[in-house]
Amino acid sequence: MLRLFSRNFLNNLFVRFFSLFRKFSESEKEILSFLKKKLGFSPNNIKYYRRAFRHKSAAGKTEEGFKRSNERLEYLGDAVLDAVIADYLLHYYPNEHEGFLTKMRSKIVSRSHMNSLAVTLGIDKIVKVKLGDADKQETINGNALEAFIGAVYMDKGYEFSKSVIIQKILKKHINMHELQSIDTDFKSKVIEWAQGNKKGIHFETEEKTISDDLSTFQTSVYIDGKIWGCGEGSSKKKAEQQAAEEGCKHLFID
Amino acid sequence: MLRLFSRNFLNNLFVRFFSLFRKFSESEKEILSFLKKKLGFSPNNIKYYRRAFRHKSAAGKTEEGFKRSNERLEYLGDAVLDAVIADYLLHYYPNEHEGFLTKMRSKIVSRSHMNSLAVTLGIDKIVKVKLGDADKQETINGNALEAFIGAVYMDKGYEFSKSVIIQKILKKHINMHELQSIDTDFKSKVIEWAQGNKKGIHFETEEKTISDDLSTFQTSVYIDGKIWGCGEGSSKKKAEQQAAEEGCKHLFID
C-alpha cells in the first residue's frame, strides 16, 4: 500500500514538474480551464481528458491503425457512472425496491438527460468534432460526458470520480424529486409521434399461458402496418410499454 | 483523508472488538468460512454478507413491510462488476475497439456464466432459499454472486472489491482466450432450438433507406408464424442476430 502510494506520488510529482516547462496547446488550456472552473480540480495527466473530448470524427490513427477517439473511455465512464449512481441511489432511497432504483438510474443516464447535462456543464464547447450535423452533435455531447468520467477514473481513481459525479453533477444539476415525478410513458410518446406525423398506429397483444397461475404478454407496436417494436411482460401494460420503448428507440423519438 | 482513515480504522476496530464477544450463528459461521477459505478475507461487518446470501423467498420483512432480501445488493453489485470488468478489459486489450470490449464483458456477465461461476465458488451451498424449483435455483446463484459483490463494496469499498473480482474471480476462474473464442451466435441457437422442438422458423428482413448512402435493416424472427423477436442494425446479419437474441431471451434459450 505504502509502496503503491509512493510510486503514484512520485509519478504525479514527475508529471507535474515537467508540465511546468511545457507549453500547453490552446485546446489543452481550454480543458484545464474547464476542469478548474467547472469541476474545481487540476488533472494529474491531461492526456486522458484530451482523449475524452475527441469524437471519432476528429481522431487520428496510431501506427497500428487504431483510432485515438473517446469511445473506449466512454465505455469505461458509462460503467463507472452506473456504479456511482447505484451507490448514491441506494443511500438516497434506503427503503426503495431495486426496480425503482433501476428506473431512477435509467432516467438520470437517459440519452436526452446526459446530452442536456453535458451542455449545462459546457462540454459542447470543448469537444472536438468534425461533423456538421446538428442532430448528431447532441449524442456526441452526452457521450463525451461519459468519456470524461472515464478519464477522471483513469487519472484519479474511483473515489475521486465518485466525488466529482456526486458533488459536481448529481447534487448540483439534478433535482431528484423532479426526476422522480417524470413518468417515462413510452406508449403516449409513440402515439403522439405517430399522430403528429400522420401515421397509423396500433398495438397487438397476445397472452401466453406459462402455468395455471402464470401468464406473460407479448405486444407488438405497428406503425403504418409495419412492426417497429416488440415487448414482453407480466402485464399487458408492461409489454406495451416495452414495445413502445423499442419503437421510440428505432424511430429516434426522444 | 487522514481523518477518514482514522474514523474507518476506529470503526473497524470497534466492530471487530465487539465481535469477539458475540456468538455467531451457524449460517454466519458458514459465511465467515466461505470468505476466509475461498476469498482470503474477513469481513468488517457480516450483516452485508448475510443479506447478500438471502434470496427473497427466504427474506423476512421490516416493520415498514420492506423485504430484507439480496435484491438491492444485487443491483449494486451488478454495476460494480460492470465497472471493474470494463477497467480490467481496457487494460487487458489495449488496442481493441469498445464494441469488442462490450461483447467480452457480456460473455463474462451472461446469466449462464454467472450461475456457473457462483457454483464454482460454492455460493450455491450458502445461499438461503425457500424454493424447490431446480431451474430457478440457477439464476438465484448468479444473482447471489452479484449481491455478494455489492456486499464487498459496501463493507470494504471499491478498490477492495476490484481486487477480489480481479484476483479471486477473473484471474482464477476465467480463461479469457477461451471466452474470446466462444461465438455467441444467437441465430444458430434459435434455429437449433426450433428444429429440436419441431417448430417452423423464419426470418424476415426489410431494408430502410435513411439517406443515399445509409440504410438500416429490420428483422423479425417468426416461430410457428408468430413474432418472437425484432432487431435492427446497419447490416442484415446484425439485425438478424439482434432479433435472434431477443427471441432466445423470450423463449428462455440459454
Side-chain angles (χ1 to χ4, degrees), chain B residues 182-249:
Chain B
I182 296 172
D183 189 20
T184 317
D185 179 356
F186 293 104
K187 193 180 174 191
S188 307
K189 262 189 197 170
V190 74
I191 290 175
E192 205 177 301
W193 179 89
Q195 288 169 342
N197 289 279
K198 300 196 191 326
K199 310 254 183 214
I201 181 165
H202 74 279
F203 288 77
E204 274 184 23
T205 302
E206 278 187 48
E207 190 176 345
K208 193 185 160 205
T209 307
I210 291 174
S211 66
D212 282 352
D213 53 0
L214 194 62
S215 289
T216 59
F217 296 82
Q218 271 130 17
T219 298
S220 299
V221 52
Y222 291 79
I223 296 169
D224 273 355
K226 198 173 122 188
I227 288 181
W228 279 90
C230 301
E232 185 174 336
S234 54
S235 71
K236 191 183 166 194
K237 199 178 161 187
K238 282 183 191 167
E240 279 181 346
Q241 276 297 326
Q242 206 182 86
E245 186 175 358
E246 206 179 276
C248 286
K249 202 177 117 202

Side-chain angles (χ1 to χ4, degrees), chain A residues 20-32:
Chain A
L20 291 174
F21 297 97
R22 71 173 274 234
K23 276 192 178 174
F24 286 108
S25 68
E26 277 313 306
S27 82
E28 283 175 333
K29 282 181 196 160
E30 228 173 35
I31 293 172
L32 287 169

